[in-house]
Amino acid sequence: MKPSIALRLLACLALLLACAPALAKPALWVVKDADTTIYLFGTVHLMPSDASWHDPTLDRAMADSQTLYIELTDDDPANMAALVLRYGMDATHPLSSQLSQSEAHRLSLLANKVGVPGGMQTLNVMRPWLAALTLAVTPLLKAGLDPEHGVDKQLKAQMAGAGKQVLGLETAEQQIRFLADMPRAIELALLRSTMRDADKGAFQLTELIDAWKAGDVDTIARIGNDDMRLREPKLYQLLLVQRNQVWATKIAAMLQQPGTVFIAVGAAHLAGPDSVQARLELLGVPVERLP
């Protein structure tokens, strides 16, 4: 199992691992006061190398910004490999022993079907959260989508190349521990949900590509957030609501410093009733969507 599978764990859980087609115009928002401008942009984290997604409004916002915030910046392979080994592997408690016989059999079949290297033998030494992530991401990686070509990676390279500051809203360890520190029952629920929906991935992916291209945040929320909110509410609170609240508080505090900032996070965080924008509005900070 490649350590890079863990790089985009939260976007994967939100089913936002999609490629961006040509002529895309994803949604962009702005928060302003007298001397501060903050742009909010939803990203997708796995992309084919030839995907085109820039548009003039986005490019102007990037050019005007002095600082870029993305979800994390310390996702180099060595750090991620160490974190995966520390928080994602558990050879002393085989995964198959935590599932019913029928569930273990289905997981083995799915592992072979989607092409997990080593099949069930690979998954069996993983924690449930990492097995779920591996099951979901493997077919996307095999289809040619690559986290190194993800929107956040490209934005980071663009801003760093221009000599501008790039900062992380979280650390890689924080992101992984959101999952690794879950109660085991919720971890297993995540794995079962991933197994249950494994056959829906291609259809949902097509819908999400179209929605991201059009800036259709209602559809992104329906596909990316609503199912988790209804079927796994504790997971939804942990991975989306709580993090969105923390980020909104940070963004509100940024208004105290003059300048222009560009913030790029997974598109699921900028969609639905518990979005970062909704949390900002509750803090008394108005948010405007740009045309």
Side-chain angles (χ1 to χ4, degrees), residues 89 108 111-112 116-126:
M89 310 302 288
S108 180
N112 293 331
V116 173
M120 187 62 184
Q121 185 176 359
T122 297
L123 298 182
N124 213 29
V125 294
M126 293 181 180

Side-chain angles (χ1 to χ4, degrees), residues 246-267:
V246 170
W247 292 350
T249 301
K250 289 182 178 182
I251 293 166
M254 291 178 193
L255 290 170
Q256 305 305 311
Q257 298 294 326
T260 303
V261 175
F262 194 99
I263 297 176
V265 297

Side-chain angles (χ1 to χ4, degrees), residues 165-267:
Q165 188 176 38
V166 181
L167 301 172
L169 290 168
E170 298 170 339
T171 68
E173 182 168 7
Q174 281 179 309
Q175 283 207 349
I176 286 181
R177 290 194 65 173
F178 285 128
L179 291 165
D181 291 348
M182 290 188 299
R184 186 55 58 99
I186 298 179
E187 256 195 279
L188 288 168
L190 171 62
L191 176 58
R192 292 183 177 110
S193 177
T194 304
M195 293 167 58
R196 182 174 58 243
D197 295 336
D199 295 332
K200 301 178 183 178
F203 174 73
Q204 290 179 324
L205 192 58
T206 299
E207 281 194 282
L208 282 165
I209 290 171
D210 292 341
W212 194 77
K213 175 182 176 180
D216 182 355
V217 293
D218 290 338
T219 297
I220 291 172
R222 175 177 59 80
I223 300 171
N225 297 354
D226 287 356
D227 186 66
M228 188 193 303
R229 177 171 54 85
L230 294 172
R231 296 170 71 169
E232 304 293 345
K234 293 181 180 179
L235 191 65
Y236 176 78
Q237 287 289 324
L238 177 67
L239 297 183
L240 284 169
V241 179
Q242 293 180 23
R243 295 171 70 221
N244 289 354
Q245 181 61 56
V246 170
W247 292 350
T249 301
K250 289 182 178 182
I251 293 166
M254 291 178 193
L255 290 170
Q256 305 305 311
Q257 298 294 326
T260 303
V261 175
F262 194 99
I263 297 176
V265 297

Side-chain angles (χ1 to χ4, degrees), residues 3-144:
S4 61
I5 287 176
L7 293 178
R8 301 295 133 216
L9 55 97
L10 296 173
C12 174
L13 295 172
L15 296 176
L16 288 174
L17 304 173
C19 62
L23 304 178
K25 187 177 174 58
L28 182 66
W29 293 264
V30 66
V31 175
K32 286 185 178 182
D33 65 10
D35 57 3
T36 306
T37 299
I38 302 173
Y39 294 103
L40 302 176
F41 181 61
T43 66
V44 291
H45 298 299
L46 292 178
M47 300 274 283
S49 59
D50 59 350
S52 176
W53 48 269
H54 284 268
D55 71 86
T57 302
L58 173 63
D59 288 340
R60 283 194 298 270
M62 288 289 294
D64 290 344
S65 299
Q66 291 90 44
T67 302
L68 169 67
Y69 280 89
I70 54 180
E71 290 186 30
L72 69 162
T73 59
D74 62 338
D75 55 351
D76 58 277
N79 187 39
M80 296 305 299
L83 291 170
V84 167
L85 287 173
R86 181 177 180 183
Y87 295 111
M89 310 302 288
D90 185 6
T92 61
H93 299 90
L95 186 58
S96 58
S97 70
Q98 303 173 60
L99 300 170
S100 69
Q101 185 174 359
S102 62
E103 288 172 336
H105 179 65
R106 173 161 171 74
L107 181 60
S108 180
L109 293 176
L110 286 171
N112 293 331
K113 180 178 180 180
V114 305
V116 173
M120 187 62 184
Q121 185 176 359
T122 297
L123 298 182
N124 213 29
V125 294
M126 293 181 180
R127 292 269 304 273
W129 72 262
L130 184 58
L133 176 61
T134 303
L135 194 65
V137 174
T138 295
L140 303 182
L141 297 178
K142 289 175 70 68

